[in-house]
Amino acid sequence: MAKDDDCPPSVGGDARGDRHLMQREAPNPLPRVVRSDALLAGASQLAILHNDTLYFLRETRFGKLILTK
């Protein structure tokens, strides 16, 4: 992670910079929640590309989720 000193200061009315400052001042402590059925959309497996690596989120016949590389 970058230190705060590495981030350029916000100048003027740059909305992107203001939004960045707002996020740093009031971080959202709760993660975004997505239902697994919305992700899988009726399929039993979902491919996820993360940092140029393909992962698979799979639902087992017992209703558990497994993430594999």
Side-chain angles (χ1 to χ4, degrees), residues 4-12 14 17-18 20-21 24:
D4 287 344
D5 296 335
D6 296 339
C7 296
S10 177
V11 177
D14 181 4
D18 293 343
H20 177 69
L21 282 176
R24 285 182 25 200

Side-chain angles (χ1 to χ4, degrees), residues 40-63:
L40 294 169
S44 61
Q45 186 168 287
L46 169 72
I48 301 170
L49 186 61
H50 176 70
N51 292 334
D52 294 327
T53 302
L54 198 58
Y55 293 83
F56 296 93
L57 181 66
R58 182 173 65 88
E59 183 178 13
T60 69
R61 61 181 165 206
F62 301 110

